[in-house]
Every structure is written in C-alpha cells, then in structure tokens.
Amino acid sequence: MLERKIFDITKNISIFRQMLRFGGTPYRIRQFLIKFNKFIKSGPTNLINIYKFWINEDSLGDFIDLYYGICDEIILLYKLNVFTNPNFKSFIGKHEAYSWYMDILLGLKKNYNKLQENRNKQLQLNIQNQVKQKASLLSKRLMDSIGNNSPMKSQILREFNTKSPILNNNNQYDLEIEALKHEERIIMTDLVRLSFDFVCDSIDIFKLELNPSVYLICGAISGSFGLSKVWMMSKR
C-alpha cells in the first residue's frame, strides 16, 4: 500500500517535471542550426574549425540536451496517450535512459565545477574583507597615535565620517557573500537531485534487481529536490 502511494507520488512528480521541460526541442534544434550555419561560414572545413565548434564541452552539452529533450518529450506524449505504438515506445524508452544518463553525468560535472568556483569566490571575498578590516584597524590605531589637538587628526576624522568607506564595503560584502551562499545552496540542491537521478537511471541502464521501493524513494527524493531548486531560484 505504501509502495503504491510512493509510486503514484513519484509518477505525478515525474510528469509535472516533464511538463515543465516540454517544448524546448524546437529551440534546441534552432540553436544547432544557427551554430551549424556559423560553422559553414567560418571558413574551410578543417580539423581546427571542427575542434573549435564541435569538439568541446559546450557542444557535447548541446547534443546531450537535444538528444535527451527529444526522448523526454516523446515519452511524455506516451504518458499522456498521444502516442500509443508499443514498439517505438520501447525503442525511445531505451534511448531516454541513455540520454538521461549522459545528461546526469554532465550535470554532475558542471555542478561540481560551479561549486568549486563559487567557493573560491567566497574565499576571495573573505580574504578581501579581512584585509579591509585590518586596514581599518590600522587606520584607527594611526589616528589614536596622533594627538587629540592635531589638525591632521581632525581632517582624517572628517573624511572618514563623510565617506564611511568601511561601512559601504561591509554592506557590499554582505550582499555579495549572501548571493554566493544562495547560489551555493542551489548548486548543492541540484547535486543531490542529480545523485538520486543517477541511482534511478543506473537501475534502469544496468537492470539492477533491487527492491522496487529503492527506485521509488530515490525518484521521490529527486523530484522533491528538483522542486526545491525551482523554488530557491524563484527567491533570487
């Protein structure tokens, strides 16, 4: 009974996610045609141009995105009973699993790189902020060392109070670090989602004989994190 409920929830979440993705294939095809047109106009068809346009991670991502998008949208049409041919459904189902697997692996790699880049930016901001704070502390110590009746001290204090650079820098730092932390949470959420997707698709690809509840639970968790990611992105 519980497994049936989990199955229904997972199925509904899966259909909802597919409906959100539906309709992107014509745009992806158009982007491929634009890129192919640029490739044709770029000059002679040699290894340098082929490598420049096609042998790179961006082109691989575009191809996988198109491959998966076509399969994903056709499967959704089967779920909605628009298509009914069982033979073609079996064929496209296998390719959906393969394309999804490639999409997951590339997504994990990209998100891992994004996470490292994000954390490096946070580290750099923290270092810059610490340097500014130490500079501010040294400035205050310098002013304290100057006599109270010194005209130089009065001038420095007036400029400091008027411009308030440290206050402005702190506000800017808080905004930037919060934006990076928000981005980090989104990336981590997507990594978790993709990890559970990886488990689900591995079961399909390698035909692993596991308890059906493993697939259902992983699918439900993945769907939940997918919705969480959408919600978090809307809060930017």
Side-chain angles (χ1 to χ4, degrees), residues 71-114:
C71 296
D72 186 57
E73 292 183 13
I74 292 174
I75 288 295
L76 176 61
L77 293 175
Y78 268 104
K79 289 180 179 179
L80 298 176
N81 294 321
V82 176
F83 293 157
T84 56
N85 188 306
N87 294 328
F88 185 63
K89 182 179 181 180
S90 176
F91 170 80
I92 205 69
K94 291 179 182 178
H95 282 274
E96 186 205 24
Y98 298 145
S99 61
W100 189 27
Y101 211 59
M102 289 187 285
D103 187 62
I104 291 168
L105 292 173
L106 187 61
L108 286 169
K109 178 183 180 297
K110 285 184 175 181
N111 275 301
Y112 177 78
N113 290 339
K114 284 181 183 178

Side-chain angles (χ1 to χ4, degrees), residues 199-223:
V199 174
C200 289
D201 206 29
S202 294
I203 294 172
D204 288 336
I205 291 287
F206 301 108
K207 302 187 185 303
L208 302 177
E209 295 182 0
L210 300 176
N211 191 309
S213 61
V214 174
Y215 189 97
L216 297 176
I217 291 171
C218 288
I221 294 174
S222 171

Side-chain angles (χ1 to χ4, degrees), residues 105-228:
L105 292 173
L106 187 61
L108 286 169
K109 178 183 180 297
K110 285 184 175 181
N111 275 301
Y112 177 78
N113 290 339
K114 284 181 183 178
L115 184 62
Q116 297 306 309
E117 183 180 347
N118 178 284
R119 288 177 174 173
N120 285 336
K121 287 180 180 178
Q122 289 190 51
L123 179 61
Q124 290 173 7
L125 274 178
N126 285 328
I127 292 172
Q128 290 173 8
N129 188 56
Q130 289 176 12
V131 169
K132 289 174 182 176
Q133 287 180 344
K134 288 181 180 179
S136 174
L137 182 61
L138 289 173
S139 298
K140 289 179 181 178
R141 287 179 179 175
L142 177 62
M143 286 189 289
D144 290 340
S145 67
I146 301 174
N148 290 330
N149 297 325
S150 171
M152 182 184 295
K153 182 174 183 178
S154 300
Q155 182 180 354
I156 292 174
L157 284 172
R158 280 197 302 271
E159 291 181 358
F160 184 83
N161 291 330
T162 301
K163 297 179 181 178
S164 300
I166 302 303
L167 179 61
N168 291 334
N169 286 334
N170 283 339
N171 289 338
Q172 183 65 24
Y173 167 78
D174 290 340
L175 291 173
E176 290 182 5
I177 203 71
E178 179 55 36
L180 285 172
K181 286 187 177 297
H182 183 69
E183 182 184 69
E184 182 185 18
R185 289 191 290 269
I186 292 174
I187 295 170
M188 289 297 298
T189 300
D190 206 33
L191 278 170
V192 174
R193 175 187 68 84
L194 288 169
S195 298
F196 281 100
D197 280 345
F198 180 78
V199 174
C200 289
D201 206 29
S202 294
I203 294 172
D204 288 336
I205 291 287
F206 301 108
K207 302 187 185 303
L208 302 177
E209 295 182 0
L210 300 176
N211 191 309
S213 61
V214 174
Y215 189 97
L216 297 176
I217 291 171
C218 288
I221 294 174
S222 171
S224 299
F225 274 92
L227 293 175
S228 297

